[in-house]
Amino acid sequence: MLMNPRLTGLRCIRCAQVLPPGDYFEGCPACLRAGDPASLECLYEPAPAGAAALPLPVLDAITLGEGATPCLDMPALAGAAHVGRLWIKCESANPTGSHKDRMSAQLVSRAKLAGARRVAAASSGNAGVSLAAYCAAAGLEADIAIMRGCPPLQRAAMLAFGARLTEFEDSLARWPHVARLCREEGAFAGTNYLNPPVGTHAYGVEGYKPIAAEILQTCGLPTDIVVPAARGDLIWGIALGWEALRRAGAIERLPRLHAVEPFARLSRARAAGHARGQWLGDTAQYSTAGGTCTLQSLAALARTGGMPVEAGDQAAGRARDMLASLGIAAELSSAAALAALPALRLAGALDAESRVVAVLTSDGRRG
Ligand SMILES: [Zn+2]
């Protein structure tokens, strides 16, 4: 395991300042001082001929077998949604049952290489379980700040992997606790802890880039990809993957990436021109709940030409039932990707020629 020697720096997605490789849990320092947290994106030397088109920060990272997930062709669902083709990218096939494993592999490996002894994170779900598992694999401690309403099976899975859990009443109350562990006690940040928030460590987010290459290999170049989003690590990481493929000459255009939310956050942030607000709403889609969003989500939409789209709990529930009738289990927030298709069609983003991938982030096995 070693850092990729071709990683040359990190660039702020707002002010474009370039920083040397390192651990910036709070994103761009200059933008943070200005009260406007912004993610950093990794920069690499151009790949030599024959090298992988999608470089990652940590080479020979700790693995539990994440990635290379199935991408299922779903003609019946395509017909029901009135689009040309529809695939389901089954991130539930990752070792702990969600896309988070891809990020954990890179992030926990980096924590180990940086000499950290523990990783601290705020999560009541898939991220916490995934980080706990990868920390166990790496021989690191995991400190997870959960909410009182954390699903019992999520809690049990984190404990089984040896994580230390601290319980909070309120989602935002967890962040100062994680901030203290990272700023004062040397913990390595496994999630955001700022408010307004910033994306997770840029090295972790890079772990999502291979999703783009896997989709390209299975489906060719789709027109549209629909991704459930909360703080937007996943949609941003997938966007970075497609951009890297375009730079490498593997594709000529980017697919549009659309962000699915349980209630309107990104559309309101986009209208406001910033992602610093709180846009509250109630939802049973706990993996994508919360009133905040991030600049990196807005960047993913802007760079790919995608749009924010809402899918409420009722529509997501109907989509979950439809998936179940075809033998596919989906967490409610994952089924929301399918539930969002009619609204995208109504908005003119999709039509009968569209080639669409819906990312199923988790199967809800612990929900
Ligand atoms: Zn900046």
Side-chain angles (χ1 to χ4, degrees):
M1 188 165 72
L2 75 163
M3 291 308 295
N4 188 336
R6 286 172 45 218
L7 177 69
T8 58
L10 295 118
R11 183 173 56 213
C12 174
I13 67 170
R14 174 186 287 109
C15 74
Q17 182 183 358
V18 175
L19 300 158
D23 299 307
Y24 304 91
F25 303 143
E26 304 177 2
C28 172
C31 285
L32 182 68
R33 279 196 298 275
D36 216 355
S39 295
L40 302 168
E41 59 182 312
C42 293
L43 303 175
Y44 298 87
E45 284 172 10
L54 291 180
L56 293 176
V58 182
L59 304 178
D60 298 321
I62 291 158
T63 182
L64 293 171
E66 66 289 338
T69 55
C71 200
L72 305 177
D73 193 357
M74 306 297 292
L77 293 179
H82 307 289
V83 296
R85 292 283 289 273
L86 176 63
W87 293 267
I88 302 276
K89 180 67 170 161
C90 298
E91 288 299 291
S92 47
N94 282 302
T96 73
S98 84
H99 63 291
K100 300 284 187 183
D101 292 337
R102 297 178 186 263
M103 180 158 79
S104 296
Q106 284 290 314
L107 188 143
V108 172
S109 296
R110 170 59 195 173
K112 182 97 175 167
L113 282 173
R117 292 178 49 205
R118 59 173 166 161
V119 173
S123 168
S124 289
N126 297 323
V129 174
S130 179
L131 285 167
Y134 281 79
C135 281
L140 300 182
E141 298 173 19
D143 261 297
I144 312 293
I146 64 170
M147 283 172 52
R148 181 151 296 172
C150 178
L153 291 175
Q154 299 278 34
R155 183 190 299 250
M158 289 183 241
L159 289 171
F161 290 128
R164 187 164 43 236
L165 306 186
T166 312
E167 193 173 285
F168 293 85
E169 282 288 345
D170 165 35
S171 170
L172 296 181
R174 298 175 300 170
W175 289 351
H177 169 76
V178 176
R180 188 179 57 75
L181 294 177
C182 295
R183 288 172 176 166
E184 297 171 23
E185 297 189 22
F188 198 92
T191 59
N192 168 70
Y193 55 73
L194 297 176
N195 187 17
V198 69
T200 303
H201 196 311
Y203 296 171
V205 172
E206 290 274 293
Y208 293 131
K209 291 195 312 189
I211 294 174
E214 292 169 22
I215 290 173
L216 183 64
Q217 189 171 28
T218 310
C219 316
L221 181 57
T223 56
D224 298 87
I225 302 178
V226 188
V227 188
R231 254 54 70 202
D233 289 334
L234 177 61
I235 192 170
W236 174 236
I238 296 174
L240 292 172
W242 288 109
E243 286 189 328
L245 289 169
R246 185 166 63 174
R247 272 195 302 277
I251 55 170
E252 293 186 347
R253 62 162 177 84
L254 303 178
R256 287 182 295 264
L257 268 56
H258 307 290
V260 184
E261 310 185 295
F263 51 85
R265 292 180 300 235
L266 281 168
S267 54
R268 291 150 81 186
R270 198 159 68 160
H274 66 82
R276 299 187 301 275
Q278 277 234 57
W279 296 279
L280 296 170
D282 281 328
T283 180
Q285 300 174 53
Y286 70 93
S287 289
T288 52
T292 58
C293 58
T294 55
L295 186 69
Q296 64 181 7
S297 296
L298 292 176
L301 302 181
R303 290 190 187 184
T304 68
M307 60 180 280
V309 57
E310 290 94 53
D313 292 351
Q314 279 196 338
R318 287 193 297 272
R320 184 173 59 181
D321 293 344
M322 186 184 288
L323 285 164
S325 76
L326 298 169
I328 297 172
E331 188 180 313
L332 194 60
S333 60
S334 298
L338 186 63
L341 299 184
L344 287 168
R345 206 171 189 286
L346 203 63
L350 302 181
D351 61 28
E353 305 293 317
S354 298
R355 297 162 55 84
V356 184
V357 177
V359 180
L360 199 156
T361 48
S362 169
D363 59 14
R365 65 182 72 170
R366 294 179 301 264

